[in-house]
Amino acid sequence: MLNFKNLNIKQIKDIIKEIGLESFYNEYFEWIKKEDKRIRGFLFFTENLAKNLVEELKNKKGDLPLYGIPIAIKDNILVKGEKCTAGSKILENYIATYDATVIKKLKAAGAVIVGKTNMDEFAMGSSTEYSAYFPTFNPFDSSKVPGGSSGGSAAVVGAGLLPIALGSDTGGSIRQPAAFCGIYGLKPTYGAVSRYGLIAMASSLDQIGPLAKDLEDLITLFEVIRGKDPKDSTSVEFPQDKIKETQIKTIGLPKEFFEDADSKISSLILEKIKKTNLKIKEISLKYVKYGIHCYYLIMPAEVSSNLARYEGIRYSKREKGKLWEVYEKTRGKYLGKEVKRRIIIGTFVLSHGYYEAYYLKAQKLRRAIFEDFQNAFKEVDLIISPTSPSLPFNLGEKIEDPLKMYLSDIYTVPVNLAGLPALNIPAGFINGLPVGLQVIGNLFDEYKLFEFAKILEK
Ligand code: GLN
């Protein structure tokens, strides 16, 4: 059997040229199914769909950017005719009736969707342990979590099963698992990628984005999926002039971000950036450090309204009874504990009397966080931090303590609140476990992030 491990897009294209698409996929599926048993990154494979896509590719030109390239999709992105569970029991039998815009774009670019990946239920979590199905294992150490919520996508790419995957990031769900699995993961500028066909968690924060082992592959995937979509009114065309604006003079280090992290992680990252010879400036972000407080008010408020649609009537499984019982029993039985917790917090902060005290205050803080970043970007081109304050943790270590789990996101959530782009860059290893560096840019500065990653690779 061929060994498909750790191939990038270019290498797969070369193999396909040599042996043909069909024989590639005949062997590949057998291999990837076997390899995945070790990490359990896939919820299910989409072999029939893949066969059809391969068939269609025969009439298409070989120079498509993703011609014949296998890709894994987080299971909260709709692929027509396939199940879409969002990691939840309530959607166990739900079959998507249309393609998300990103999926349409992938198909047009020649990609072959091979499966849907595991995730925390409705993307709420940082370890993939809140999946209603099973946990996924870290590819570097199976006693550790792969991060979350896009843990399945990050684990399968980190394990070298395929070069690229899609995830979604509401508060860190692409970057943190990418950090835990030693790969690149991009949270694009809010609006750069269409959210049409993404199962909504918190709509003002959600973004779909690429995960890849190879930087060039990540850029290719980003270029395929981005762009304005009439079906998502918050989406915009990526400003072309921004693609060439890649000059980096000064990078900013927010001291708060380094003080709170595991000291081994902070030193590794500091050492790494010193070697770049870029000008380094220490900065202080006085509101950004309240990002986690702000996020855990705004996000649940949006969650509570977005998840109201799973009431047992339209998409989901249904328990029997009078109308009110249908709601109560269905939601009671098929939604997980963490999801319920957030719905309850969300309805509370939006309710009369508490709206002003919590939700409105959080909205004002959100604005202050955005301005904090804008002030920093007057002095520096990019902001650097650890992606996660800790190394990949043990399975089971944080599931009983939601607060501990929430703190996994202290460096990633401010970025979503401000709508900025940020990239996880694999920065090295401590005790055999990957460490991720987060680089944050101003709106539509994705290409500066890529440029910085290239400088680090050198
Ligand atoms: N881990 C964060 C949370 O639990 C972020 C989730 C996400 O980005 N989808 O909300």
Side-chain angles (χ1 to χ4, degrees):
M1 209 200 301
L2 275 167
N3 185 4
F4 299 96
K5 202 166 181 145
N6 289 332
L7 298 175
N8 62 24
I9 291 181
K10 163 126 200 343
Q11 290 164 325
I12 294 180
K13 283 190 173 179
D14 288 344
I15 298 178
I16 288 174
K17 250 184 224 146
E18 216 180 288
I19 67 170
L21 266 173
E22 224 150 275
S23 39
F24 178 88
Y25 276 97
N26 282 342
E27 290 206 36
Y28 181 68
F29 263 105
E30 211 181 302
W31 177 83
I32 191 172
K33 281 188 196 158
K34 199 180 82 217
E35 290 287 313
D36 182 58
K37 292 212 166 88
R38 210 166 43 82
I39 49 170
R40 307 199 76 187
F42 283 97
L43 277 171
F44 54 93
F45 290 92
T46 52
E47 217 169 332
N48 284 335
L49 170 68
K51 271 203 190 109
N52 293 340
L53 291 172
V54 165
E55 200 49 43
E56 279 168 29
L57 280 178
K58 287 183 189 155
N59 311 316
K60 287 190 182 158
K61 291 207 185 95
D63 59 358
L64 290 170
L66 297 176
Y67 185 87
I69 302 302
I71 184 167
I73 309 292
K74 186 177 183 179
D75 202 26
N76 58 353
I77 300 172
L78 306 190
V79 178
K80 189 176 175 178
E82 300 295 331
K83 278 201 306 184
C84 197
T85 70
S88 181
K89 281 284 173 192
I90 209 163
L91 290 177
E92 192 167 18
N93 305 324
Y94 174 69
I95 310 254
T97 53
Y98 64 93
D99 274 333
T101 297
V102 290
I103 298 298
K104 276 208 179 124
K105 290 185 173 218
L106 285 176
K107 287 180 176 174
V112 177
I113 294 155
V114 299
K116 303 293 292 288
T117 54
N118 200 13
M119 56 183 285
D120 289 294
E121 186 172 5
F122 285 107
M124 301 175 202
S126 310
S127 70
T128 313
E129 291 165 294
Y130 293 145
S131 162
Y133 298 93
F134 46 79
T136 293
F137 307 122
N138 190 297
F140 290 89
D141 179 343
S142 57
S143 68
K144 310 280 179 196
V145 301
S149 63
S150 315
S153 284
V156 295
V157 173
L161 305 194
L162 31 63
I164 46 173
L166 284 187
S168 69
D169 191 314
T170 305
S173 277
I174 290 175
R175 290 159 286 157
Q176 184 257 19
F180 279 16
C181 295
I183 59 171
Y184 288 97
L186 173 73
K187 196 294 263 185
T189 303
Y190 186 77
V193 179
S194 166
R195 288 178 294 112
Y196 182 69
L198 169 71
I199 293 184
M201 175 180 161
S203 310
S204 76
L205 302 159
D206 298 341
Q207 264 301 276
I208 295 174
L211 296 111
K213 200 159 217 172
D214 202 288
L215 179 63
E216 286 307 320
D217 291 354
L218 180 107
I219 299 173
T220 304
L221 179 54
F222 175 59
E223 290 177 347
V224 166
I225 61 172
R226 74 177 179 215
K228 186 173 172 58
D229 176 11
K231 293 199 166 86
D232 172 2
S233 61
T234 63
S235 68
V236 286
E237 209 48 73
F238 196 86
Q240 287 301 306
D241 48 329
K242 283 291 201 179
I243 297 174
K244 288 184 208 99
E245 254 179 54
T246 57
Q247 218 195 37
I248 305 165
K249 287 186 208 125
T250 316
I251 53 175
L253 302 185
K255 55 173 189 290
E256 304 91 348
F257 281 37
F258 284 86
E259 281 162 7
D260 300 338
D262 178 333
S263 62
K264 285 196 235 83
I265 294 182
S266 295
S267 345
L268 187 147
I269 289 175
L270 290 172
E271 230 162 79
K272 187 115 188 155
I273 49 182
K274 270 185 203 137
K275 286 192 198 134
T276 61
N277 292 325
L278 292 167
K279 216 167 120 198
I280 299 174
K281 194 174 158 68
E282 199 176 278
I283 55 171
S284 176
L285 297 165
K286 70 176 191 281
Y287 294 108
V288 168
K289 56 175 178 251
Y290 300 113
I292 203 94
H293 307 71
C294 181
Y295 174 81
Y296 276 94
L297 292 169
I298 290 178
M299 174 273 296
E302 295 186 21
V303 159
S304 72
S305 82
N306 272 329
L307 268 67
R309 68 186 64 145
Y310 308 107
E311 71 317 44
I313 310 284
R314 282 173 292 180
Y315 311 94
S316 56
K317 286 194 175 164
R318 181 186 303 182
E319 289 294 291
K320 291 200 181 68
K322 299 207 182 80
L323 183 64
W324 190 251
E325 286 168 351
V326 172
Y327 295 166
E328 218 173 70
K329 286 191 197 160
T330 305
R331 290 165 76 80
K333 187 162 172 190
Y334 298 114
L335 290 176
K337 215 158 109 183
E338 180 59 27
V339 171
K340 285 181 188 155
R341 181 181 294 126
R342 295 192 192 198
I343 293 173
I344 292 168
I345 296 175
T347 46
F348 177 77
V349 303
L350 288 175
S351 59
H352 184 72
Y354 296 101
Y355 180 91
E356 287 78 12
Y358 294 111
Y359 184 72
L360 200 63
K361 252 195 208 156
Q363 289 292 16
K364 288 181 182 163
L365 183 53
R366 182 175 189 174
R367 184 75 211 174
I369 289 170
F370 178 77
E371 264 149 28
D372 223 2
F373 274 121
Q374 291 310 312
N375 286 333
F377 286 127
K378 283 180 195 146
E379 298 179 80
V380 301
D381 299 295
L382 297 171
I383 295 169
I384 313 290
S385 82
T387 302
S388 158
S390 75
L391 288 171
F393 44 89
N394 291 329
L395 283 148
E397 192 177 323
K398 301 189 182 180
I399 27 178
E400 293 308 329
D401 188 343
L403 230 47
K404 256 196 202 155
M405 194 71 97
Y406 297 170
L407 287 174
S408 311
D409 308 319
I410 43 172
Y411 305 139
T412 49
V413 296
V415 172
N416 300 69
L417 290 166
L420 304 174
L423 176 69
N424 177 69
I425 302 175
F429 289 85
I430 293 171
N431 304 334
L433 293 170
V435 173
L437 176 161
Q438 170 174 247
V439 52
I440 307 167
N442 208 342
L443 301 168
F444 301 105
D445 272 345
E446 273 83 347
Y447 285 81
K448 274 190 195 161
L449 308 181
F450 302 151
E451 183 60 27
F452 181 73
K454 284 178 199 163
I455 297 174
L456 275 192
E457 275 189 352
K458 276 185 216 144

